[in-house]
Amino acid sequence: MNQHIVPAPKTGGPVEPSALEDLVLASHILAEQGVLDGYGHCSIRHPHAKERFFLSASLSPAVIATGDIMEYDLDSNPVDQRGRKMFLERFIHGEIYKARPDVNAVVHSHSPTVIPFSVTTVPLQPICHMSAFLGGGVPNFEIHDAAQITDLLIRDNYLGRALAHSLGSFNVCLMRGHGSVAVGPDIMTAVYRAAYTEVNAKLQAQAIALGGPIRFLSQGEYEKIEGRGDKNYERPWRMWKERVTKP
Ligand SMILES: [Zn+2]
């Protein structure tokens, strides 16, 4: 058995309990919103160590607790595995944190209304002011270009790197026939973006069903909204938190 030849990476040090509590709440919120189902996951970068991140053990997002949160290095090696099962797709998180120093939270979901936009030629575009963050384009990661025939999962650092490359400097990246990733400078923003990517996909599909040309947000409009300094993610975050914490 050679599995312990590589020593585990060192911890990035202690972290405020509230950071891990917010990560757990984010998972519960996204499960309640129908953005995460039995699968999918969200993570945060270690607040005091840029080369580490936190992600729960492989469990459904709705049931995780702070004791399930594990620390990883950016190659997605666990610091202290203690026999816990790890997400196969943890490499999504490590490689995005490597590629994007501005990103401190990542959500990977299979939210259902988004997937049709990953397998058709219809681009996902911002249809309302709440999803201005989709302005400028939503890339679509084609895993076949990176590794031909796969099971579509991001099972290693190579595929994670290819996905991070497709994401580039955008806020959201679709993954063909699989789902999407949404990123942000903090957990509140990443959760907001994941939730409103699903909302936007629903509204856009409804608009397409109504027929006729669709008037999406113009570049001037989404840039004006995104450029505002008064974006209030705190408001939905508090509401979502209350919904998942009240008995
Ligand atoms: Zn996945």
Side-chain angles (χ1 to χ4, degrees):
M1 300 300 261
N2 293 331
Q3 65 190 40
H4 294 303
I5 281 180
V6 179
K10 284 195 170 61
T11 177
V15 60
E16 298 77 4
S18 62
L20 302 185
E21 285 159 15
D22 276 355
L23 179 55
V24 168
L25 282 171
S27 290
H28 295 177
I29 287 166
L30 290 167
E32 203 244 2
Q33 296 276 310
V35 174
L36 299 179
D37 53 9
Y39 303 96
H41 20 89
C42 49
S43 68
I44 53 165
R45 196 193 290 272
H46 193 305
H48 313 298
K50 286 277 186 196
E51 304 291 310
R52 297 288 181 273
F53 70 94
F54 293 103
L55 172 70
S56 86
S58 180
L59 292 162
S60 289
V63 305
I64 66 161
T66 47
D68 300 314
I69 304 292
M70 297 173 62
E71 183 180 350
Y72 289 94
D73 71 7
L74 297 194
D75 286 329
S76 298
N77 298 309
V79 166
D80 181 21
Q81 187 175 359
R82 281 185 277 129
R84 292 174 286 183
K85 199 169 167 225
M86 300 185 287
F87 283 121
L88 284 173
E89 296 194 285
R90 58 193 180 278
F91 307 99
I92 291 172
H93 303 264
E95 291 296 334
I96 289 176
Y97 290 127
K98 263 189 220 170
R100 290 281 300 273
D102 60 311
V103 165
N104 293 313
V106 175
V107 177
H108 167 54
S109 83
H110 307 148
S111 68
T113 323
V114 175
I115 293 177
F117 290 91
S118 78
V119 296
T120 59
T121 55
V122 179
L124 188 67
Q125 295 180 72
I127 202 158
C128 71
H129 67 298
M130 303 295 283
S131 39
F133 62 89
L134 296 173
V138 182
N140 189 7
F141 174 59
E142 176 48 82
I143 196 167
H144 189 270
D145 291 346
Q148 283 83 52
I149 305 299
T150 63
D151 62 2
L152 278 75
L153 302 182
I154 306 297
R155 288 177 172 271
D156 55 33
N157 283 306
Y158 169 77
L159 289 171
R161 219 157 26 245
L163 170 62
H165 185 259
S166 283
L167 171 68
S169 59
F170 292 94
N171 298 320
V172 174
C173 182
L174 307 186
M175 301 160 75
R176 193 265 304 164
H178 178 171
S180 58
V181 289
V183 302
D186 52 58
I187 190 71
M188 262 189 327
T189 309
V191 165
Y192 175 92
R193 287 174 177 166
Y196 277 96
T197 298
E198 172 68 10
V199 168
N200 194 91
K202 265 192 196 119
L203 296 176
Q204 190 173 337
Q206 285 167 0
I208 291 167
L210 289 174
I214 300 172
R215 187 161 178 177
F216 294 99
L217 264 62
S218 69
Q219 183 176 355
E221 287 169 341
Y222 67 68
E223 284 181 355
K224 188 169 183 128
I225 296 166
E226 278 299 277
R228 268 179 8 209
D230 64 345
K231 286 194 291 293
N232 189 359
Y233 297 130
E234 186 72 39
R235 197 192 304 173
W237 176 252
R238 275 192 64 183
M239 175 189 73
W240 288 333
K241 252 170 134 164
E242 274 188 31
R243 277 195 198 153
V244 297
T245 50
K246 73 177 173 208

